[in-house]
Amino acid sequence: MYRRTMTGLIFTFLFLVSCPALAQDAPPEAKEQAPVTMDAVTVTATKREGTVKDFPGNISVMDDVFIETHGTDELADLTRFAPNVYIKHTSSGGSIVCRGISTIDTSLFSPMGLYMNDVALPIGYMVNQDLFDIERVEILRGPQATLYGRNSESGVINIVLKEPDNTQRTRLMTELGNYSTVRMGGSTSGPLVEDKLFYSLSLLGKTTNGYVENTFRDDDDVAGEESIFGRGTLRWTPSKAWDIAVDLDGKNNNHGMSVLRYEDGPNATPRHEVRANEADRAHEKAFGQSARIKYAWPTMELTSITSHRSFDRDHLHDFDRTPIPLGTSEMDTELDSWGQEFRLASTDTTALSWLVGLYGRHETVDAGIDFNHINPLMASKRKGDSTDNGYAGFGQATYEMIEGLRLTGGLRLDVSRNSGKHTYTPNSGPVSYEKDIDNTEWLPMASLAYDFTPNVTAYTTVSRGFLAGGFNFFSATSADTFAYDPEHSMNYEAGIKTTWLDNTLTFNTTIFYTELSDKQVREEVPGAGMGVWKFTNAADAHTQGIEVEAAYNPIPELQFRAGFGYADAEVDKWDTTVGGTPVDYSGNKLPWAPEYTYTLSAEYNHQSGFFILADLLGTGEQYFDAANTIKDDGYQTVNLRVGYQVKDIEIALWCDNLLDEEYANKKVKNGAGLTLVEDGAPRTFGLTANWRF
């Protein structure tokens, strides 16, 4: 009751602050101003410049102003404003869950694609990107196989960087927060040779003790972080037809991982406290290079994107999470990925717009895990590698049959050749095996959209997607438990996009139904002992639901935003064994899939420079296991931001999770049946200063 009351008071306060602006008589010059309108947002998600209305599907767009105003420093913070999109960011890995389509807990790859300036970020550890010096983020729901080089089963998040041009821009940022948190960043961009050669540079650093304490070791920074990230772009436009850009980026991150605590049993601890004899840690290094070359004719444009990304993560943790020195697990994962994409797209405004593309990749993964135990009979090692060569041809075209009625069709041919090797070394000696996963997929899509009026557009879309198969590097013991095949999805959706009240109000709604076949799941290996799992394609499932987004800008100083997503993700068929006993999971909810998400925001900007912003963000019930015995009941957090801007300087005081809501990012049971919890963030607060010149 207290939390609901406080939430109501915050939004009531924002409303009262805005009342004087709503009620007072406007000065004569103000009465003659044009009414407030929300401009159409330009997006490049379709690889052809357009608006949200033009996209034949559900898309959310957050620009740089939204990102900075709401203080969304990382992608996981931003996606909370997108209905039915949830980033699972835990110590065991990351994944983007869209419309309830989740994946295996320790899978390296996510069912939702993530791109940074047209370059795929394929591995799950990369999902929680820093959002500094970003132009906008576009979130597309549903399969996008006919638009993007790399395949995506449930949707795409497209991060668009700021493009350097003739305008000189410089920004310095400093942020101080509780738990000894400091973030500092700077960016600059502009011309080296006017109209010809441009540059951009950005640098971001962070250090924090984190909010978890190891009471056994008397250590308050076991979940701390020290990271530094940098990016640079050099852009050359020798003529109107040519646009050439080279991007470099890199990140070095050291952070603690001692976040799992016991909820029950003799080692149970309170929230944000752990008792382990080891200080868990992880180290990540990422490096990326890309070259984008565009050549434009009067009616079409050719784009070439050459990219390389490397990623290396090693971590160590106390596998029993107790003060007893039983042992540790050490994991190492290395990714090296090369990609080449050619894309030809129309640029004129005729009734037919189209895109065709070719894509190829060469990707290697080296991964392994060592279980170190005081009892040598229980120690083991696993080490594996894989080489993936993938090729795809894709295309999409939209034809306006009559004014306002548009038919879109697309097709993708996806071919992959993935070979893996693995060695399992128990105390009895090493066992080695190999496996190949060769796969060819045809992925069609079709959409019909109609503009009933300039302010009302309805659409319906059918599309097919798949999530590639892979290898079980971390728990396999034989060839039979090493590899698993692709899963497939069939997506149906219909929606309506509207604007009202002289474009001061937008209201968009989508309903969807997705069938999932050959669902990738984790199952026990009968008689193999604790910690030995196989990944299979044993399940069928479906997800269905609705997404609603609205924004209202009644006066220039005041804006409201709201969003709601509901996803009922359910197993249709899955027969397996637990402890050697047959079980039927049919009717259970898919794990790692929140039932709903919602957001409500109010923002007021006074002409004097004062501003205040409040966000209410909610996440519904979700299960963490296939048996649906471990769950989080759902939670809501309130974020508040108050500040002042004068000329080029902005200072803001902020508080996230104002009411200190308790929730879990992860829950898991150990071999003894005891529950371990990874707590969500507590109340955090601080001050941010931005200087632009």
Side-chain angles (χ1 to χ4, degrees):
M1 178 64 73
Y2 169 76
R3 291 187 175 95
R4 288 196 296 268
T5 303
M6 285 296 297
T7 301
L9 288 174
I10 290 167
F11 282 93
T12 301
F13 171 71
L14 284 170
F15 174 76
L16 293 175
V17 167
S18 67
C19 282
L22 291 169
Q24 68 185 7
D25 291 335
E29 62 272 20
K31 293 181 179 179
E32 296 175 0
Q33 292 177 353
V36 179
T37 61
M38 286 185 280
D39 296 331
V41 178
T42 299
V43 298
T44 55
T46 63
K47 307 308 175 186
R48 293 154 286 169
E49 189 171 291
T51 66
V52 170
K53 174 184 171 182
D54 299 327
F55 177 70
N58 193 342
I59 180 173
S60 300
V61 182
M62 290 85 159
D63 62 10
D64 58 337
V65 175
F66 182 94
I67 292 170
E68 293 181 27
T69 301
H70 291 261
T72 51
D73 305 324
E74 298 175 335
L75 189 59
D77 300 325
L78 187 69
T79 54
R80 294 197 69 191
F81 292 89
N84 276 337
V85 179
Y86 169 80
I87 286 189
K88 184 198 100 176
H89 183 57
T90 69
S91 58
S92 60
S95 183
I96 310 175
V97 181
C98 180
R99 292 179 171 175
I101 302 177
S102 57
T103 190
I104 304 162
D105 182 25
T106 55
S107 173
L108 290 177
F109 300 96
S110 172
M112 190 173 194
L114 176 61
Y115 288 80
M116 178 85 74
N117 256 26
D118 285 334
V119 176
L121 307 177
I123 201 166
Y125 290 118
M126 298 177 176
V127 297
N128 197 24
Q129 288 289 308
D130 293 302
L131 300 180
F132 184 73
D133 202 30
I134 299 296
E135 180 70 28
R136 65 181 177 276
V137 176
E138 303 166 346
I139 301 175
L140 296 70
R141 299 167 185 84
Q144 304 299 328
T146 63
L147 286 176
Y148 285 79
R150 196 180 182 110
N151 178 65
S152 61
E153 180 188 29
S154 61
V156 159
I157 296 180
N158 183 41
I159 301 174
V160 182
L161 302 179
K162 291 182 182 294
E163 190 174 73
D165 52 27
N166 279 324
T167 303
Q168 184 68 46
R169 304 179 183 90
T170 303
R171 174 193 176 193
L172 297 176
M173 182 274 295
T174 299
E175 184 172 277
L176 306 175
N178 57 336
Y179 301 106
S180 301
T181 301
V182 179
R183 289 177 71 245
M184 299 185 71
S187 65
T188 181
S189 67
L192 294 172
V193 178
E194 191 167 350
D195 296 329
K196 297 293 183 182
L197 189 62
F198 317 93
Y199 79 98
S200 69
L201 295 170
S202 60
L203 188 67
L204 178 68
K206 178 181 179 180
T207 178
T208 180
N209 284 347
Y211 44 79
V212 179
E213 179 183 3
N214 188 328
T215 55
F216 177 76
R217 295 173 56 89
D218 192 25
D219 190 350
D220 66 354
D221 67 349
V222 292
E225 179 182 356
E226 292 181 353
S227 66
I228 186 167
F229 169 78
R231 179 189 298 121
T233 299
L234 192 64
R235 180 183 176 215
W236 182 39
T237 56
S239 68
K240 290 185 178 180
W242 288 97
D243 192 334
I244 302 169
V246 176
D247 295 320
L248 299 175
D249 67 81
K251 184 173 184 178
N252 191 76
N253 187 8
N254 289 285
H255 60 91
M257 292 177 52
S258 294
V259 291
L260 273 172
R261 65 174 178 87
Y262 280 94
E263 187 178 58
D264 47 28
N267 292 296
T269 56
R271 180 187 180 211
H272 299 137
E273 290 186 16
V274 299
R275 286 177 53 80
N277 62 284
E278 289 285 347
D280 302 354
R281 51 91 181 141
H283 179 215
E284 295 177 349
K285 294 185 295 184
F287 189 46
Q289 316 93 47
S290 65
R292 178 174 7 192
I293 303 173
K294 293 182 181 181
Y295 184 82
W297 291 277
T299 60
M300 57 185 174
E301 182 178 74
L302 176 65
T303 303
S304 168
I305 303 165
T306 306
S307 64
H308 171 250
R309 296 209 68 86
S310 62
F311 179 85
D312 183 7
R313 173 187 167 99
D314 63 85
H315 74 240
L316 177 145
H317 68 78
D318 185 335
F319 68 70
D320 62 298
R321 270 84 172 187
T322 73
I324 303 173
L326 293 178
T328 61
S329 64
E330 296 182 71
M331 182 183 293
D332 183 58
T333 304
E334 297 180 19
L335 169 84
D336 193 75
S337 180
W338 291 87
Q340 176 63 56
E341 180 177 349
F342 295 104
R343 194 169 63 230
L344 187 64
S346 63
T347 57
D348 57 356
T349 57
T350 63
L352 177 66
S353 65
W354 51 269
L355 170 146
V356 292
L358 295 173
Y359 172 76
R361 72 174 179 273
H362 175 76
E363 192 167 88
T364 60
V365 175
D366 294 328
I369 186 168
D370 295 349
F371 289 101
N372 309 306
H373 201 280
I374 58 172
N375 182 354
L377 296 178
M378 301 183 67
S380 65
K381 295 183 178 181
R382 292 175 173 85
K383 181 65 177 177
D385 62 78
S386 65
T387 300
D388 179 21
N389 293 304
Y391 314 92
F394 58 95
Q396 184 173 297
T398 299
Y399 179 65
E400 188 167 16
M401 297 179 289
I402 60 174
E403 185 176 359
L405 182 62
R406 298 179 298 280
L407 176 65
T408 300
L411 183 65
R412 178 189 185 90
L413 171 62
D414 194 287
V415 179
S416 63
R417 301 288 182 263
N418 201 351
S419 60
K421 301 178 181 180
H422 197 248
T423 298
Y424 168 55
T425 308
N427 67 294
S428 57
V431 180
S432 298
Y433 34 86
E434 301 180 9
K435 198 80 171 181
D436 292 336
I437 305 174
D438 296 336
N439 192 61
T440 300
E441 299 284 347
W442 290 92
L443 304 170
M445 69 82 61
S447 177
L448 191 65
Y450 182 63
D451 300 328
F452 288 95
T453 72
N455 299 319
V456 178
T457 299
Y459 72 91
T460 182
T461 299
V462 179
S463 53
R464 182 170 172 80
F466 88 105
L467 176 61
F471 299 103
N472 175 15
F473 292 113
F474 305 124
S475 62
T477 58
S478 65
D480 292 337
T481 60
F482 180 44
Y484 53 96
D485 293 324
E487 74 178 40
H488 300 87
S489 66
M490 198 68 190
N491 180 71
Y492 308 88
E493 67 178 89
I496 186 167
K497 304 176 184 182
T498 66
T499 60
W500 307 85
L501 305 177
D502 294 326
N503 289 331
T504 62
L505 171 67
T506 64
F507 189 88
N508 302 330
T509 305
T510 301
I511 58 173
F512 65 89
Y513 181 86
T514 303
E515 298 174 345
L516 301 168
S517 57
D518 310 311
K519 180 72 181 146
Q520 296 169 1
V521 294
R522 189 178 77 166
E523 299 184 302
E524 70 176 16
V525 180
M530 185 180 68
V532 180
W533 303 92
K534 61 181 178 179
F535 298 161
T536 71
N537 302 85
D540 294 330
H542 75 273
T543 176
Q544 59 187 346
I546 187 171
E547 288 136 7
V548 178
E549 288 186 283
Y552 182 41
N553 202 168
I555 58 174
E557 296 84 4
L558 184 64
Q559 185 177 66
F560 299 99
R561 293 177 65 103
F564 175 78
Y566 170 76
D568 179 23
E570 185 175 304
V571 175
D572 295 325
K573 181 182 179 182
W574 185 6
D575 296 315
T576 186
T577 61
V578 176
T581 302
V583 297
D584 183 1
Y585 285 149
S586 302
N588 284 11
K589 301 296 184 182
L590 287 177
W592 300 102
E595 184 179 21
Y596 59 82
T597 62
Y598 63 86
T599 176
L600 179 62
S601 300
E603 178 184 353
Y604 177 74
N605 294 275
H606 194 267
Q607 294 178 358
S608 65
F610 167 80
F611 63 88
I612 183 169
L613 171 72
D615 298 318
L616 173 65
L617 304 169
T619 301
E621 175 184 270
Q622 67 171 313
Y623 292 92
F624 299 105
D625 66 329
N628 287 186
T629 59
I630 317 172
K631 72 172 183 176
D632 183 83
D633 291 328
Y635 62 96
Q636 64 176 18
T637 59
V638 175
N639 300 341
L640 188 63
R641 199 173 184 91
V642 180
Y644 186 76
Q645 181 171 353
V646 54
K647 295 184 179 179
D648 299 327
I649 298 176
E650 176 188 288
I651 298 176
L653 294 168
W654 51 267
C655 182
D656 293 342
N657 194 4
L658 177 66
L659 306 180
D660 201 24
E661 177 84 356
E662 297 183 20
Y663 62 97
N665 287 328
K666 176 181 179 176
K667 290 187 179 183
V668 64
K669 287 187 181 294
N670 67 3
L674 300 177
T675 302
L676 292 101
V677 181
E678 192 166 308
D679 294 311
R683 179 190 298 114
T684 56
F685 53 85
L687 179 146
T688 303
N690 280 289
W691 181 28
R692 291 176 174 83
F693 55 95

